[in-house]
């Protein structure tokens, strides 16, 4: 079917097949548990009896992926699959829960999934991975006038109503974790502190992280673990030129080590809801988690490149 093409689903057909094999048993078990709760007793007819679903599981998964990738409305997808928009909405709601709870894939570890911040730090310490941390903002619908907490979503940086999330990646831009959902007005560092990153840094003393200027306070609290860009020297105009060039080169090298997490955020924004979310703000977290897990799957398949050193090496004169 055309909807299984990567241009619509955002995944390769091989990845889609693996996703069907992984989620189909969970979906079947959840549906069976729900029917058992509604009946209040064990089923009396053989398995397979009764009315059939309008959409089989594979079509339900495709509908969800196409909606996340392209932003097609429930009504438009209902026309394509010849079902009602309410059927599309139920299918997307069911599959979003399953996708959001999968966790984040790890390169060269097929059976390992990182679900919590503690999992990420434990993995980084075991594999000697330097983490890259950065914030990400997505524009959302403005709350109604007069509603308490309306200003909490107004971002001081973008001057829009946003929801802020935090992304953690490795040195190749592979997403290891994405979460800490907070209103856009909250500072990046505050969002991570309330999520418990300071406690994780204290528990895992060997874990290092590269951050931007927004996490300078965290770098000051953990100077041997968290590395932020250097501060601009005071009275630079009156100081020696070498001091200015040294500061600029130091900042450039730190940015080049941290740019990979920006690339990870860019992969998230290839999915339409994370460019501008038009749904209910209460459901943004589940949608974001579902997309982030799919992005981590694709990123984990990328081969590991050797780390390149950014240290300055003295050049010795050679005889001609």
């Amino acid at each position: 079917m055309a909807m299984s093409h990567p241009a619509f689903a955002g995944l390769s057909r091989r990845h889609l097949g693996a996703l069907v094999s992984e989620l189909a048993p969970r979906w079947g078990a959840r549906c069976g548990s729900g029917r058992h709760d509604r009946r209040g007793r064990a089923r009396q007819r053989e398995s397979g009896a009764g009315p059939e679903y309008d959409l089989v599981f594979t079509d339900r998964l495709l509908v969800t992926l196409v909606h996340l990738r392209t932003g097609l409305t429930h009504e438009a997808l209902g026309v394509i699959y010849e079902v009602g928009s309410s059927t599309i909405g139920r299918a997307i709601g069911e599959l979003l829960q399953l996708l959001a709870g999968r966790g984040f894939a790890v390169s060269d570890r097929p059976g390992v999934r990182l679900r919590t911040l503690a999992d990420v730090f434990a993995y980084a310490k075991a594999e000697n991975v330097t983490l890259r941390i950065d914030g990400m903002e997505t524009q959302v619908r403005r709350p109604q006038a007069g509603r308490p907490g309306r200003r909490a979503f107004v971002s001081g940086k973008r001057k829009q109503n946003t929801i802020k999330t935090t992304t953690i990646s490795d040195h190749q831009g592979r997403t290891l974790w994405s979460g800490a959902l907070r209103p856009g007005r909250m500072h990046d560092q505050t969002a991570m502190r309330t999520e418990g990153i300071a406690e994780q840094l204290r528990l895992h003393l060997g874990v290092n992280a590269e951050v931007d200027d927004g996490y300078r306070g965290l770098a000051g609290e953990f100077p041997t673990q968290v590395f932020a860009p250097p501060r601009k020297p005071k009275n630079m105009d009156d100081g020696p030129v070498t001091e200015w060039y040294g500061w600029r080169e130091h900042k450039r090298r730190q940015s080049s080590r941290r740019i990979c997490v920006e690339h990870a955020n860019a992969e998230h924004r290839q999915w339409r809801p994370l460019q501008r979310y038009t749904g209910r703000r209460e459901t943004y977290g589940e949608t974001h988690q579902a997309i982030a897990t799919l992005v981590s799957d694709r990123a984990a398949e990328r081969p590991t490149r050797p780390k390149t050193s950014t240290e300055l090496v003295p050049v010795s004169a050679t005889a001609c």
Side-chain angles (χ1 to χ4, degrees), residues 206-251:
V207 177
N208 299 329
E210 298 278 353
V211 298
D212 61 4
D213 291 313
Y215 301 91
R216 193 179 295 279
L218 199 64
E221 184 177 353
F222 301 94
T224 60
Q225 294 178 262
V226 182
F227 306 101
R231 291 184 180 274
K232 186 175 181 179
K234 296 181 180 179
N235 301 325
M236 181 176 292
D237 296 335
D238 300 331
V241 178
T242 55
E243 185 177 3
W244 183 82
Y245 277 105
W247 166 77
R248 190 177 67 172
E249 180 65 15
H250 189 183
K251 187 173 182 179

Side-chain angles (χ1 to χ4, degrees), residues 30 47 49 98 132 146 150 159 180 183-184 191 212 243 268 284:
R30 174 172 292 187
S47 178
L98 293 178
R132 273 70 172 177
R150 188 185 188 206
K159 311 301 181 185
D212 61 4
E243 185 177 3
H268 296 166
Y284 174 80

Side-chain angles (χ1 to χ4, degrees), residues 5 10 19 42 57 71 76 98-99 127 135 151 171 173 175 180 183 191 194 196 207 216 243 265 293:
H5 192 278
L19 205 59
F57 175 78
L98 293 178
L99 290 171
E127 300 293 332
R151 292 185 59 191
H171 69 284
T175 300
T194 55
V207 177
R216 193 179 295 279
E243 185 177 3
N265 283 334
T293 59

Side-chain angles (χ1 to χ4, degrees), residues 99-112:
L99 290 171
R102 296 176 62 234
F104 301 91
V106 176
S107 178
D108 302 327
R109 300 289 189 275
V112 176

